[in-house]
Amino acid sequence: VRRPAASPHADDVDIYVNSIVQAALAEGAPRTEWPVGSIIVKDGWDGGDLELIAVMEKRADGWFWAEYFDDESKYSGKPSVCTDCHKSGSDFVRAFSLPK
């Protein structure tokens, strides 16, 4: 479901999660971090046009970020532009909170 965004990613976003995130949310057990293997994808839309695709993957050494514009990666790895903003989220996820 596309919803308005309060982030630098775009005016509106679609957010997708993989089965690992989905299972952690459905489980409902309190968590302090997202499981390794979690993947979250955000499509950023401006005026009905797809502007970017942002991807987060939880790895053993923490989150890996990538952001694509026009099929090319503008950011990848652990760039400060991602980590500085996302550090305010639940285990670096700002779109939704960890189950409590």
Side-chain angles (χ1 to χ4, degrees), residues 12-23:
D12 299 293
V13 295
D14 292 327
I15 298 173
Y16 306 93
V17 300
N18 70 350
S19 59
I20 295 171
V21 176
Q22 186 177 17

Side-chain angles (χ1 to χ4, degrees), residues 4 9 15 24 27 35 42 44 50 62 77 82:
H9 290 287
I15 298 173
E27 193 176 85
K42 183 185 293 185
L50 180 63
C82 298

Side-chain angles (χ1 to χ4, degrees), residues 15-18 20-22 24-25 31-42 54-66 76-80 82-98:
I15 298 173
Y16 306 93
V17 300
N18 70 350
I20 295 171
V21 176
Q22 186 177 17
L25 290 167
R31 295 188 155 275
T32 58
E33 64 182 89
W34 295 101
V36 170
S38 294
I39 296 174
I40 303 167
V41 178
K42 183 185 293 185
V55 181
M56 298 174 63
E57 179 186 13
K58 182 74 178 271
R59 297 179 176 179
D61 65 343
W63 287 99
F64 178 91
W65 282 271
S76 65
K78 297 181 183 194
S80 62
C82 298
T83 59
D84 288 352
C85 185
H86 279 262
K87 68 184 172 188
S88 68
S90 293
D91 186 26
F92 290 90
V93 175
R94 295 188 52 185
F96 44 87
S97 297
L98 287 159

